[in-house]
Amino acid sequence: MLSSESVQSIHNITLIYAVVWTINSHYASDSSKPLSIMNFARRESSRDLHNDLTDAVLRLASAAGRIKFLLQNEGIVTDESLAEDAPQAPPSGVLGRDTGLFLLDSWATYLRLERHLMQPGSFYKRNGYYCIVYTGEETGRLSVIYKIFQRLLAIYVINVNVLLANRQNGTIQVYNYYPYRPHRCQSSEPVHYATFQGSLGAPPIFHLENSVRFFDSKVDDMHGCKLVTVTFQHRPFVIIDDSSNLTDVQRLLGIEGRIYQLLAERMNFAVTLVKEPNGDRGIVHPNGTLTGAMKMIVDGLANITFVSYMYNKERAMYMLPSISYTSFPIVLCVPGGRPLTPLERLTKPLGYITWICLLTSILTGLTLITMLQLLSVPRLRRFVLGESNRRPATELWSTLFGGIHMHPPRRNFARFLLAMWLLETLVLRAAYTGEMYILLQDARVRAPLRTLAEVLDKKFEFHMLPALKPVFRELVSQERVVLIPRLEESLVQLRDNAEAQFVVPLLRPTASRFDMDSGPEKPRLTVLRNPMLTAPMTLYMRPHSYLKQRINKLLINMMSSGLVDRFRRMYLDRIEHIVNLRNREPTKLSLWQLGGLFASFGLMHLLASIVFLLELHAAQPHRPRLRRLMNAANRYMV
């Protein structure tokens, strides 16, 4: 019969083999992530046992050189050992190590481990993968394991296996728990998951069906358990259908609503929808208090939130972000500007550089014609202007406005000059006519700001959501930044008041949707042409949430398969198409819109009347000088 020391030695050997297999099969898969081994011992004998176990495991597992170890063999962890000046990990658990091997010998040592995990400066993510080696010798050890799982579930640690030696047969039993099981949610009941009873390198015997990994997935199938989801309607990202015959998850539409629907389907969870009453994503006040959806997440009143959240550092400090599933440009919405005057509508189709080039061409042509007329060299004049072209200046103006050239030249050089001029006037006339049609029939055309430099020169205030404040910290002084929880009121002011003294940065789909919801009779928002930056969009969960890994994998799959882009196009294509149609909708021409044309027409009539009077006076016998001047103008200029 074996002595107690012999039985203990056999158990230790099996335990060593189990720990080595665990390290080699799971933790050693990525050598860039070192494995931490922490020893929490209450009794001296347990400390010796843990030290021997650690030495044997290191000797066997390090032989392949596939992993590095970090030893923290401090025994008892106290509050003093966690120094206040130690590096502080964010409350959300974004940073930190996600693997660890913990050696415990009692319930008291587990409580010390729990305090270590919950310290703000802890180096461990609570959604990591951990293994506990429990060497306690008290009776009712399974009840202790049950209490451990209860406490771990409360702090969001679910990927944990407990290795426990069986005193009767010398095997090592592996226990874990499944928070989501058929007809049971938030369950912390221990499950006998696997048994080690072989030699070195032998895999365990799994006792659950379809379990082939040592760290089984806990959230692949949530068996219809509910997740509290806080959001609010913000088109086109989140659209909430108020139909009473739909489930909460079916009521969620929009880009992010569709994505969340698919997540719920793949993970098999139900949704309890909570609307944030004020439409507030949440901010952090200087005194540390939170508001809106962020407060509900941090306080544990909700599991997940989404509503066009742009990733930023402050949010990630208090909530756990998923990977960015897509991105959208941030544009600057500016005041609409004053309406164009009638004369501005006549000149706006062509830019000032184009006008300068056109006027230069006309002046060059008139100068050349005048010089040829003054030189009085018939052969040179015919060579350039063509035969029988007695009114070249009149022909120039006629072709400029689309008239017929009555006396085309016969020489190649003259034809080449005429072809260049006709081509130039054809293109400019077509461009001018097409743009003028739009300007005259669109009463909403204004003279807005065009560049960010113009906006900064105007000293406008920037009304923005709190999440955008860090983006504009270096661009705009804090005195000109006004933080607002919602954009609707400011956008209405910008739309209806062309002389507003502020601007609003926002996502481009938000601006397009606002224009669509405003209706065809309202003017559109005026947006700078070039976007300011691109914002990554993400979902946010409770700090240390164990949903992160599974959601990230599904988001990657959805992006790879094109589903995310399809959801974007489902809503954005329709918005952009309708907005573009509205841009082409003509309005009735008013006297104000045609005022520039009538004013030009009146000026030309006045000029013609003055020329007519001059011609009458030149016909009188006692005005020879005026007659010679008018004859010279008729001969050399037209």
Side-chain angles (χ1 to χ4, degrees), residues 338-352 354-355 358-359 401 428-429 431-442 445-446 589-604:
R338 61 175 176 79
L340 292 175
T341 64
L343 289 178
E344 284 178 331
R345 291 175 185 269
L346 291 181
T347 59
K348 187 177 177 61
L350 300 181
Y352 70 94
T354 307
W355 280 117
L358 177 59
L359 292 176
F401 292 107
L428 291 177
R429 195 167 55 248
Y432 182 89
T433 305
E435 187 66 20
M436 178 59 65
Y437 175 81
I438 298 175
L439 288 175
L440 291 179
Q441 291 199 330
D442 190 351
V445 174
R446 298 175 181 268
L589 297 179
S590 64
L591 180 61
W592 169 257
Q593 292 170 260
L594 295 176
L597 177 62
F598 289 127
S600 300
F601 186 71
L603 289 175
M604 295 178 69

Short mmCIF file of all heavy atoms in Angstrom, two decimals, residues 338-352 354-355 358-359 401 428-429 431-442 445-446 589-604:
data_model
loop_
_atom_site.label_atom_id
_atom_site.label_comp_id
_atom_site.label_asym_id
_atom_site.label_seq_id
_atom_site.Cartn_x
_atom_site.Cartn_y
_atom_site.Cartn_z
N ARG A 338 -24.59 84.51 -47.99
CA ARG A 338 -25.63 85.35 -48.59
C ARG A 338 -26.02 84.80 -49.97
O ARG A 338 -25.22 84.16 -50.66
CB ARG A 338 -25.11 86.77 -48.73
CG ARG A 338 -23.89 86.86 -49.62
CD ARG A 338 -23.47 88.29 -49.85
NE ARG A 338 -22.24 88.34 -50.63
CZ ARG A 338 -22.19 88.18 -51.94
NH1 ARG A 338 -23.30 87.95 -52.62
NH2 ARG A 338 -21.04 88.25 -52.58
N PRO A 339 -27.26 85.05 -50.40
CA PRO A 339 -27.66 84.63 -51.75
C PRO A 339 -26.86 85.38 -52.81
O PRO A 339 -26.43 86.51 -52.61
CB PRO A 339 -29.14 85.00 -51.81
CG PRO A 339 -29.56 85.14 -50.39
CD PRO A 339 -28.37 85.62 -49.64
N LEU A 340 -26.66 84.75 -53.95
CA LEU A 340 -25.96 85.39 -55.05
C LEU A 340 -26.79 86.52 -55.63
O LEU A 340 -28.02 86.39 -55.79
CB LEU A 340 -25.64 84.36 -56.14
CG LEU A 340 -24.62 83.28 -55.81
CD1 LEU A 340 -24.53 82.30 -56.97
CD2 LEU A 340 -23.26 83.87 -55.51
N THR A 341 -26.14 87.61 -55.96
CA THR A 341 -26.82 88.69 -56.66
C THR A 341 -27.03 88.30 -58.12
O THR A 341 -26.36 87.40 -58.63
CB THR A 341 -26.00 89.99 -56.58
OG1 THR A 341 -24.76 89.79 -57.27
CG2 THR A 341 -25.71 90.36 -55.13
N PRO A 342 -27.95 88.97 -58.82
CA PRO A 342 -28.17 88.61 -60.23
C PRO A 342 -26.92 88.70 -61.08
O PRO A 342 -26.68 87.85 -61.95
CB PRO A 342 -29.24 89.62 -60.67
CG PRO A 342 -29.99 89.94 -59.42
CD PRO A 342 -28.96 89.93 -58.33
N LEU A 343 -26.10 89.75 -60.88
CA LEU A 343 -24.88 89.86 -61.68
C LEU A 343 -23.87 88.78 -61.31
O LEU A 343 -23.13 88.30 -62.18
CB LEU A 343 -24.26 91.24 -61.49
CG LEU A 343 -25.03 92.41 -62.14
CD1 LEU A 343 -24.33 93.72 -61.84
CD2 LEU A 343 -25.14 92.19 -63.65
N GLU A 344 -23.84 88.38 -60.03
CA GLU A 344 -22.94 87.29 -59.64
C GLU A 344 -23.35 85.98 -60.29
O GLU A 344 -22.51 85.14 -60.60
CB GLU A 344 -22.93 87.15 -58.12
CG GLU A 344 -22.13 88.21 -57.41
CD GLU A 344 -22.19 88.07 -55.90
OE1 GLU A 344 -23.21 87.55 -55.39
OE2 GLU A 344 -21.22 88.46 -55.23
N ARG A 345 -24.65 85.79 -60.52
CA ARG A 345 -25.11 84.58 -61.19
C ARG A 345 -24.62 84.54 -62.64
O ARG A 345 -24.39 83.48 -63.20
CB ARG A 345 -26.63 84.49 -61.16
CG ARG A 345 -27.20 84.23 -59.76
CD ARG A 345 -28.72 84.27 -59.77
NE ARG A 345 -29.24 84.14 -58.42
CZ ARG A 345 -29.56 82.99 -57.84
NH1 ARG A 345 -29.40 81.86 -58.50
NH2 ARG A 345 -30.02 82.95 -56.61
N LEU A 346 -24.48 85.72 -63.26
CA LEU A 346 -23.99 85.75 -64.64
C LEU A 346 -22.51 85.44 -64.73
O LEU A 346 -22.04 84.88 -65.73
CB LEU A 346 -24.28 87.13 -65.26
CG LEU A 346 -25.74 87.47 -65.51
CD1 LEU A 346 -25.85 88.84 -66.14
CD2 LEU A 346 -26.41 86.42 -66.40
N THR A 347 -21.75 85.82 -63.72
CA THR A 347 -20.29 85.61 -63.77
C THR A 347 -19.86 84.33 -63.08
O THR A 347 -18.75 83.86 -63.33
CB THR A 347 -19.58 86.79 -63.11
OG1 THR A 347 -20.01 86.92 -61.74
CG2 THR A 347 -19.88 88.08 -63.85
N LYS A 348 -20.70 83.74 -62.23
CA LYS A 348 -20.28 82.57 -61.44
C LYS A 348 -19.98 81.33 -62.28
O LYS A 348 -19.11 80.54 -61.90
CB LYS A 348 -21.35 82.24 -60.39
CG LYS A 348 -20.92 81.15 -59.41
CD LYS A 348 -22.00 80.94 -58.35
CE LYS A 348 -21.61 79.80 -57.42
NZ LYS A 348 -20.35 80.05 -56.71
N PRO A 349 -20.65 81.09 -63.44
CA PRO A 349 -20.36 79.84 -64.18
C PRO A 349 -18.90 79.66 -64.53
O PRO A 349 -18.43 78.52 -64.65
CB PRO A 349 -21.24 79.96 -65.42
CG PRO A 349 -22.37 80.81 -64.99
CD PRO A 349 -21.78 81.81 -64.05
N LEU A 350 -18.16 80.75 -64.75
CA LEU A 350 -16.75 80.65 -65.10
C LEU A 350 -15.92 81.25 -63.98
O LEU A 350 -16.28 82.30 -63.42
CB LEU A 350 -16.45 81.37 -66.41
CG LEU A 350 -17.22 80.88 -67.65
CD1 LEU A 350 -16.79 81.68 -68.87
CD2 LEU A 350 -16.99 79.39 -67.88
N GLY A 351 -14.80 80.62 -63.65
CA GLY A 351 -13.91 81.14 -62.64
C GLY A 351 -13.18 82.38 -63.14
O GLY A 351 -13.14 82.68 -64.35
N TYR A 352 -12.60 83.11 -62.18
CA TYR A 352 -11.95 84.36 -62.57
C TYR A 352 -10.77 84.12 -63.51
O TYR A 352 -10.47 84.95 -64.39
CB TYR A 352 -11.51 85.13 -61.33
CG TYR A 352 -10.37 84.53 -60.57
CD1 TYR A 352 -9.05 84.91 -60.81
CD2 TYR A 352 -10.59 83.56 -59.60
CE1 TYR A 352 -7.99 84.36 -60.12
CE2 TYR A 352 -9.55 83.00 -58.90
CZ TYR A 352 -8.25 83.40 -59.15
OH TYR A 352 -7.21 82.84 -58.45
N THR A 354 -10.63 81.79 -65.83
CA THR A 354 -11.22 81.55 -67.14
C THR A 354 -11.69 82.87 -67.76
O THR A 354 -11.50 83.11 -68.97
CB THR A 354 -12.40 80.58 -67.02
OG1 THR A 354 -11.97 79.40 -66.34
CG2 THR A 354 -12.94 80.19 -68.39
N TRP A 355 -12.30 83.72 -66.93
CA TRP A 355 -12.72 85.03 -67.45
C TRP A 355 -11.52 85.83 -67.94
O TRP A 355 -11.58 86.50 -68.98
CB TRP A 355 -13.47 85.81 -66.36
CG TRP A 355 -14.90 85.41 -66.17
CD1 TRP A 355 -15.47 84.88 -65.07
CD2 TRP A 355 -15.95 85.53 -67.14
NE1 TRP A 355 -16.80 84.65 -65.26
CE2 TRP A 355 -17.13 85.04 -66.53
CE3 TRP A 355 -16.02 85.99 -68.44
CZ2 TRP A 355 -18.35 85.01 -67.18
CZ3 TRP A 355 -17.24 85.97 -69.10
CH2 TRP A 355 -18.40 85.47 -68.48
N LEU A 358 -10.41 84.45 -71.28
CA LEU A 358 -11.35 84.79 -72.35
C LEU A 358 -11.21 86.26 -72.75
O LEU A 358 -11.15 86.59 -73.94
CB LEU A 358 -12.78 84.50 -71.89
CG LEU A 358 -13.90 84.87 -72.88
CD1 LEU A 358 -13.71 84.11 -74.20
CD2 LEU A 358 -15.26 84.58 -72.29
N LEU A 359 -11.14 87.14 -71.76
CA LEU A 359 -10.99 88.57 -72.08
C LEU A 359 -9.65 88.84 -72.77
O LEU A 359 -9.57 89.69 -73.67
CB LEU A 359 -11.11 89.39 -70.79
CG LEU A 359 -12.50 89.41 -70.14
CD1 LEU A 359 -12.46 90.17 -68.82
CD2 LEU A 359 -13.54 90.03 -71.09
N PHE A 401 -20.64 84.64 -79.72
CA PHE A 401 -21.98 84.35 -79.19
C PHE A 401 -22.70 83.26 -79.98
O PHE A 401 -23.91 83.10 -79.82
CB PHE A 401 -22.82 85.63 -79.19
CG PHE A 401 -22.34 86.66 -78.22
CD1 PHE A 401 -21.70 87.81 -78.66
CD2 PHE A 401 -22.51 86.47 -76.85
CE1 PHE A 401 -21.25 88.76 -77.76
CE2 PHE A 401 -22.06 87.42 -75.95
CZ PHE A 401 -21.42 88.56 -76.39
N LEU A 428 -16.24 77.03 -74.16
CA LEU A 428 -16.62 77.97 -73.11
C LEU A 428 -18.11 78.28 -73.14
O LEU A 428 -18.75 78.38 -72.08
CB LEU A 428 -15.82 79.26 -73.27
CG LEU A 428 -14.32 79.16 -72.95
CD1 LEU A 428 -13.64 80.48 -73.22
CD2 LEU A 428 -14.10 78.75 -71.51
N ARG A 429 -18.67 78.39 -74.32
CA ARG A 429 -20.09 78.70 -74.41
C ARG A 429 -20.95 77.55 -73.88
O ARG A 429 -21.95 77.76 -73.19
CB ARG A 429 -20.44 79.02 -75.87
CG ARG A 429 -21.78 79.69 -76.05
CD ARG A 429 -21.91 80.27 -77.47
NE ARG A 429 -21.70 79.24 -78.48
CZ ARG A 429 -20.65 79.21 -79.30
NH1 ARG A 429 -19.72 80.15 -79.21
NH2 ARG A 429 -20.53 78.26 -80.20
N ALA A 431 -19.98 75.23 -71.65
CA ALA A 431 -19.81 75.16 -70.19
C ALA A 431 -20.59 76.28 -69.51
O ALA A 431 -21.26 76.05 -68.49
CB ALA A 431 -18.32 75.24 -69.84
N TYR A 432 -20.52 77.46 -70.06
CA TYR A 432 -21.22 78.60 -69.47
C TYR A 432 -22.74 78.38 -69.50
O TYR A 432 -23.44 78.62 -68.52
CB TYR A 432 -20.84 79.87 -70.22
CG TYR A 432 -21.47 81.13 -69.67
CD1 TYR A 432 -20.84 81.85 -68.66
CD2 TYR A 432 -22.69 81.58 -70.14
CE1 TYR A 432 -21.41 83.00 -68.15
CE2 TYR A 432 -23.28 82.72 -69.64
CZ TYR A 432 -22.63 83.43 -68.64
OH TYR A 432 -23.22 84.57 -68.12
N THR A 433 -23.23 77.90 -70.64
CA THR A 433 -24.68 77.71 -70.77
C THR A 433 -25.19 76.64 -69.81
O THR A 433 -26.24 76.80 -69.16
CB THR A 433 -25.03 77.32 -72.22
OG1 THR A 433 -24.51 78.30 -73.10
CG2 THR A 433 -26.53 77.21 -72.41
N GLY A 434 -24.46 75.52 -69.70
CA GLY A 434 -24.92 74.45 -68.82
C GLY A 434 -24.94 74.87 -67.36
O GLY A 434 -25.90 74.59 -66.62
N GLU A 435 -23.86 75.54 -66.92
CA GLU A 435 -23.82 75.96 -65.52
C GLU A 435 -24.81 77.09 -65.25
O GLU A 435 -25.41 77.14 -64.18
CB GLU A 435 -22.39 76.40 -65.17
CG GLU A 435 -22.17 76.72 -63.71
CD GLU A 435 -22.30 75.50 -62.83
OE1 GLU A 435 -22.19 74.36 -63.34
OE2 GLU A 435 -22.53 75.67 -61.62
N MET A 436 -25.00 77.96 -66.20
CA MET A 436 -25.95 79.05 -66.03
C MET A 436 -27.37 78.51 -65.88
O MET A 436 -28.18 79.04 -65.10
CB MET A 436 -25.87 79.99 -67.23
CG MET A 436 -26.87 81.14 -67.20
SD MET A 436 -26.67 82.17 -65.74
CE MET A 436 -25.05 82.83 -66.04
N TYR A 437 -27.70 77.43 -66.58
CA TYR A 437 -29.03 76.83 -66.46
C TYR A 437 -29.29 76.40 -65.01
O TYR A 437 -30.37 76.63 -64.47
CB TYR A 437 -29.13 75.62 -67.40
CG TYR A 437 -30.41 74.84 -67.26
CD1 TYR A 437 -31.58 75.27 -67.88
CD2 TYR A 437 -30.45 73.68 -66.50
CE1 TYR A 437 -32.76 74.56 -67.73
CE2 TYR A 437 -31.62 72.95 -66.36
CZ TYR A 437 -32.78 73.40 -66.98
OH TYR A 437 -33.94 72.70 -66.84
N ILE A 438 -28.28 75.79 -64.39
CA ILE A 438 -28.44 75.34 -63.01
C ILE A 438 -28.54 76.54 -62.06
O ILE A 438 -29.39 76.58 -61.17
CB ILE A 438 -27.27 74.43 -62.61
CG1 ILE A 438 -27.25 73.17 -63.48
CG2 ILE A 438 -27.36 74.04 -61.14
CD1 ILE A 438 -26.05 72.28 -63.23
N LEU A 439 -27.69 77.54 -62.28
CA LEU A 439 -27.68 78.69 -61.38
C LEU A 439 -28.99 79.47 -61.43
O LEU A 439 -29.50 79.93 -60.41
CB LEU A 439 -26.51 79.61 -61.72
CG LEU A 439 -25.11 79.09 -61.36
CD1 LEU A 439 -24.06 80.06 -61.87
CD2 LEU A 439 -24.97 78.92 -59.86
N LEU A 440 -29.53 79.61 -62.59
CA LEU A 440 -30.76 80.38 -62.72
C LEU A 440 -31.97 79.64 -62.18
O LEU A 440 -32.92 80.26 -61.70
CB LEU A 440 -31.00 80.76 -64.19
CG LEU A 440 -30.02 81.77 -64.79
CD1 LEU A 440 -30.37 82.02 -66.25
CD2 LEU A 440 -30.05 83.07 -64.01
N GLN A 441 -31.95 78.32 -62.24
CA GLN A 441 -33.12 77.56 -61.81
C GLN A 441 -33.00 77.03 -60.39
O GLN A 441 -33.92 76.41 -59.89
CB GLN A 441 -33.35 76.38 -62.76
CG GLN A 441 -33.82 76.83 -64.13
CD GLN A 441 -34.48 75.71 -64.88
OE1 GLN A 441 -34.14 74.55 -64.69
NE2 GLN A 441 -35.43 76.04 -65.73
N ASP A 442 -31.91 77.26 -59.71
CA ASP A 442 -31.75 76.83 -58.32
C ASP A 442 -31.66 78.08 -57.45
O ASP A 442 -30.63 78.74 -57.38
CB ASP A 442 -30.48 75.98 -58.16
CG ASP A 442 -30.42 75.31 -56.79
OD1 ASP A 442 -31.27 75.66 -55.94
OD2 ASP A 442 -29.56 74.46 -56.59
N VAL A 445 -28.80 78.67 -54.49
CA VAL A 445 -27.37 78.85 -54.70
C VAL A 445 -26.90 80.07 -53.93
O VAL A 445 -27.50 81.15 -54.01
CB VAL A 445 -27.05 79.00 -56.20
CG1 VAL A 445 -25.59 79.34 -56.41
CG2 VAL A 445 -27.40 77.72 -56.93
N ARG A 446 -25.80 79.87 -53.17
CA ARG A 446 -25.29 80.96 -52.35
C ARG A 446 -23.79 81.10 -52.58
O ARG A 446 -23.19 80.35 -53.36
CB ARG A 446 -25.57 80.69 -50.87
CG ARG A 446 -27.07 80.62 -50.55
CD ARG A 446 -27.30 80.23 -49.11
NE ARG A 446 -28.72 80.13 -48.82
CZ ARG A 446 -29.46 81.14 -48.35
NH1 ARG A 446 -28.88 82.31 -48.13
NH2 ARG A 446 -30.74 80.99 -48.12
N LEU A 589 -38.28 80.40 -62.52
CA LEU A 589 -37.41 81.57 -62.63
C LEU A 589 -38.15 82.82 -62.18
O LEU A 589 -39.27 83.09 -62.62
CB LEU A 589 -36.94 81.74 -64.08
CG LEU A 589 -36.09 80.59 -64.65
CD1 LEU A 589 -35.72 80.88 -66.09
CD2 LEU A 589 -34.85 80.38 -63.82
N SER A 590 -37.51 83.57 -61.30
CA SER A 590 -38.10 84.81 -60.79
C SER A 590 -37.41 86.01 -61.43
O SER A 590 -36.36 85.88 -62.07
CB SER A 590 -37.95 84.87 -59.26
OG SER A 590 -36.58 84.92 -58.89
N LEU A 591 -38.02 87.17 -61.24
CA LEU A 591 -37.44 88.40 -61.78
C LEU A 591 -36.09 88.67 -61.15
O LEU A 591 -35.17 89.17 -61.81
CB LEU A 591 -38.39 89.57 -61.53
CG LEU A 591 -37.92 90.94 -62.04
CD1 LEU A 591 -37.73 90.91 -63.55
CD2 LEU A 591 -38.90 92.03 -61.63
N TRP A 592 -35.94 88.29 -59.85
CA TRP A 592 -34.66 88.52 -59.18
C TRP A 592 -33.56 87.66 -59.81
O TRP A 592 -32.43 88.12 -60.02
CB TRP A 592 -34.80 88.21 -57.71
CG TRP A 592 -33.50 88.15 -56.97
CD1 TRP A 592 -32.81 87.04 -56.57
CD2 TRP A 592 -32.69 89.25 -56.57
NE1 TRP A 592 -31.65 87.37 -55.94
CE2 TRP A 592 -31.55 88.74 -55.91
CE3 TRP A 592 -32.82 90.64 -56.70
CZ2 TRP A 592 -30.55 89.55 -55.40
CZ3 TRP A 592 -31.83 91.45 -56.16
CH2 TRP A 592 -30.71 90.92 -55.53
N GLN A 593 -33.87 86.41 -60.12
CA GLN A 593 -32.87 85.53 -60.71
C GLN A 593 -32.45 85.99 -62.10
O GLN A 593 -31.31 85.82 -62.50
CB GLN A 593 -33.40 84.09 -60.76
CG GLN A 593 -33.57 83.47 -59.38
CD GLN A 593 -34.32 82.16 -59.45
OE1 GLN A 593 -35.50 82.09 -59.18
NE2 GLN A 593 -33.61 81.11 -59.84
N LEU A 594 -33.40 86.56 -62.86
CA LEU A 594 -33.09 87.04 -64.21
C LEU A 594 -32.71 88.51 -64.21
O LEU A 594 -32.56 89.11 -65.29
CB LEU A 594 -34.31 86.82 -65.12
CG LEU A 594 -34.69 85.35 -65.36
CD1 LEU A 594 -35.95 85.27 -66.20
CD2 LEU A 594 -33.55 84.60 -66.04
N GLY A 595 -32.57 89.09 -63.04
CA GLY A 595 -32.28 90.52 -62.97
C GLY A 595 -30.96 90.87 -63.63
O GLY A 595 -30.83 91.94 -64.27
N GLY A 596 -29.94 90.03 -63.51
CA GLY A 596 -28.66 90.32 -64.14
C GLY A 596 -28.77 90.35 -65.64
O GLY A 596 -28.16 91.21 -66.31
N LEU A 597 -29.57 89.43 -66.20
CA LEU A 597 -29.76 89.41 -67.65
C LEU A 597 -30.47 90.67 -68.13
O LEU A 597 -30.06 91.31 -69.10
CB LEU A 597 -30.56 88.17 -68.04
CG LEU A 597 -30.91 88.02 -69.52
CD1 LEU A 597 -29.65 87.91 -70.36
CD2 LEU A 597 -31.80 86.81 -69.73
N PHE A 598 -31.55 91.06 -67.42
CA PHE A 598 -32.28 92.26 -67.82
C PHE A 598 -31.43 93.51 -67.64
O PHE A 598 -31.53 94.46 -68.42
CB PHE A 598 -33.58 92.37 -67.02
CG PHE A 598 -34.61 91.35 -67.41
CD1 PHE A 598 -35.20 90.53 -66.48
CD2 PHE A 598 -34.99 91.21 -68.75
CE1 PHE A 598 -36.14 89.60 -66.83
CE2 PHE A 598 -35.93 90.27 -69.12
CZ PHE A 598 -36.51 89.46 -68.16
N ALA A 599 -30.60 93.52 -66.58
CA ALA A 599 -29.73 94.68 -66.38
C ALA A 599 -28.71 94.80 -67.52
O ALA A 599 -28.47 95.90 -68.03
CB ALA A 599 -29.01 94.56 -65.02
N SER A 600 -28.12 93.68 -67.93
CA SER A 600 -27.18 93.71 -69.06
C SER A 600 -27.89 94.14 -70.34
O SER A 600 -27.34 94.91 -71.15
CB SER A 600 -26.54 92.32 -69.24
OG SER A 600 -25.85 91.93 -68.08
N PHE A 601 -29.11 93.63 -70.51
CA PHE A 601 -29.89 94.00 -71.69
C PHE A 601 -30.17 95.50 -71.71
O PHE A 601 -30.07 96.18 -72.75
CB PHE A 601 -31.19 93.20 -71.70
CG PHE A 601 -32.02 93.38 -72.94
CD1 PHE A 601 -31.61 92.85 -74.15
CD2 PHE A 601 -33.21 94.09 -72.90
CE1 PHE A 601 -32.36 93.01 -75.29
CE2 PHE A 601 -33.98 94.25 -74.04
CZ PHE A 601 -33.56 93.72 -75.24
N GLY A 602 -30.48 96.05 -70.54
CA GLY A 602 -30.74 97.49 -70.46
C GLY A 602 -29.50 98.31 -70.75
O GLY A 602 -29.57 99.35 -71.43
N LEU A 603 -28.35 97.88 -70.22
CA LEU A 603 -27.10 98.59 -70.48
C LEU A 603 -26.75 98.58 -71.96
O LEU A 603 -26.28 99.58 -72.53
CB LEU A 603 -25.97 97.97 -69.66
CG LEU A 603 -26.02 98.20 -68.15
CD1 LEU A 603 -24.89 97.42 -67.46
CD2 LEU A 603 -25.89 99.70 -67.84
N MET A 604 -26.98 97.45 -72.63
CA MET A 604 -26.70 97.37 -74.06
C MET A 604 -27.64 98.28 -74.85
O MET A 604 -27.24 98.91 -75.84
CB MET A 604 -26.80 95.93 -74.54
CG MET A 604 -25.74 95.01 -73.93
SD MET A 604 -25.90 93.29 -74.44
CE MET A 604 -25.43 93.42 -76.15
#
